[in-house]
Amino acid sequence: MSNILVTGGAGYIGSHTCKALKQQGFTPVVFDNLSTGHEAFVQWGPLVVGDIQNITELQAAFARYKPLAVIHFAASAYVGESVTDPEKYYNNNVTGSLKLLQVMREHACQQLVFSSSCASYGLPSVTPIPIDHPQNPINPYGHSKLMVEQIIADYANAYALQATVLRYFNAAGADLEGDIGERHEPETHLIPNAINAALDATQTLTIYGTDYPTQDGSCIRDYIHVADLASAHVLCLKKLQTNNDKKGFMQAYNLGSETGFSVLEVVAAIENKLSTKLTRKIADRRPGDPPQLVADSSSIKNELGWEAQYSDLPTIVDSACQWAHQELLRKKSL
Ligand code: UFG
């Protein structure tokens, strides 16, 4: 039995990780309430429709599938929404994680890979951001991720939980074989929004701020291909599985490409790829957006030998455009 419980496995990063898990001989058991995930993205193992805030549903999934470990993606993940509706974020992300950890303990499931975020750093004092940079989040989403990291560290200490925490920078792109991709409703992310505006002349891309202290005034982000994120999860899981020591620990890694691109640079790359000019509107800054977030991912490279393979901007944009074309055809056929 090589079952891995993947909470949020019907979502964007979760589904790509399920595909990578299956390719490496694991069976991903998706546990997802389908509030933002998609049943059609569950292609590599069984789906349990359940909520991480529901202990009974979690217990039933653990009893049935007896997972070796958990990869925990399920969370609310819109920075802007977290500012206006923090209760949702603390319930889903913090209470939900606590319940998951409780049921893991009940079932003696001791290994966890947790989806954290560079949003847990807040405004960086140095760039690229090293893994030991102080964490001072500036929005409830970032607070909720940091709180869960702290809970995990305490569980590692008290209950011998063995955990890897992955702080993602900006997940982007789509499966290179076109099986799955980004399908958020509503879509708030730059790359899909810009592609949609480029493909549909009736749509306008809003650019949130060109008055930041960056070279062109727009925000800089570190875009990492979702397939590279997926491979990192499998690597971390394998590392946990080969650990013979019973002691608890929590190990955190940054996951980024270590290269920053401004919003305007990303827009230009998409226009170039699609040979078009998109309609844009410059708006005020979006609340909760730091000017610049770029990763120092050296610790996962040095310790686990992880390397980003697909996180150059052309590959990210190509795969996201291919997926966007497929999505347009799918919507037309509905
Ligand atoms: N942006 C626009 N127009 C859009 C969408 C985004 O100008 O239509 C800008 C944003 O203001 C930001 C940049 O593009 O400057 C990237 O924005 P995204 O929404 O694509 O990504 P974020 O950096 O806001 O968020 C991502 C993840 C979060 C995570 C965060 C960490 O989606 O889950 O990175 O900062 F918390």
Side-chain angles (χ1 to χ4, degrees), residues 142-210:
H143 284 135
S144 72
K145 289 289 176 183
L146 178 56
M147 285 176 192
V148 178
E149 286 197 18
Q150 290 166 334
I151 292 168
I152 290 171
D154 291 340
Y155 271 59
N157 187 38
Y159 310 127
L161 178 71
Q162 302 186 336
T164 309
V165 163
L166 298 176
R167 296 181 191 144
Y168 316 146
F169 284 64
N170 284 58
D175 178 46
L176 297 163
E177 291 162 321
D179 287 338
I180 40 181
E182 200 161 5
R183 188 184 294 165
H184 296 118
E185 285 148 18
E187 187 51 80
T188 61
H189 294 96
L190 176 64
I191 292 179
N193 279 353
I195 293 172
N196 288 339
L199 293 178
D200 178 352
T202 66
Q203 288 196 35
T204 300
L205 175 72
T206 303
I207 294 179
Y208 298 115
T210 50

Side-chain angles (χ1 to χ4, degrees), residues 76-79 117-120 139 141-142 168-171 182 187-194 205-209 212 218-221 223 263 285-286 288-291 293:
S76 299
Y78 291 123
V79 171
S117 171
C118 64
S120 66
N139 51 59
Y141 171 68
Y168 316 146
F169 284 64
N170 284 58
E182 200 161 5
E187 187 51 80
T188 61
H189 294 96
L190 176 64
I191 292 179
N193 279 353
L205 175 72
T206 303
I207 294 179
Y208 298 115
Y212 283 97
S218 64
C219 284
I220 293 177
R221 292 289 181 273
Y223 296 91
V263 170
R285 294 180 179 193
R286 195 171 65 173
D289 272 349
L293 292 170

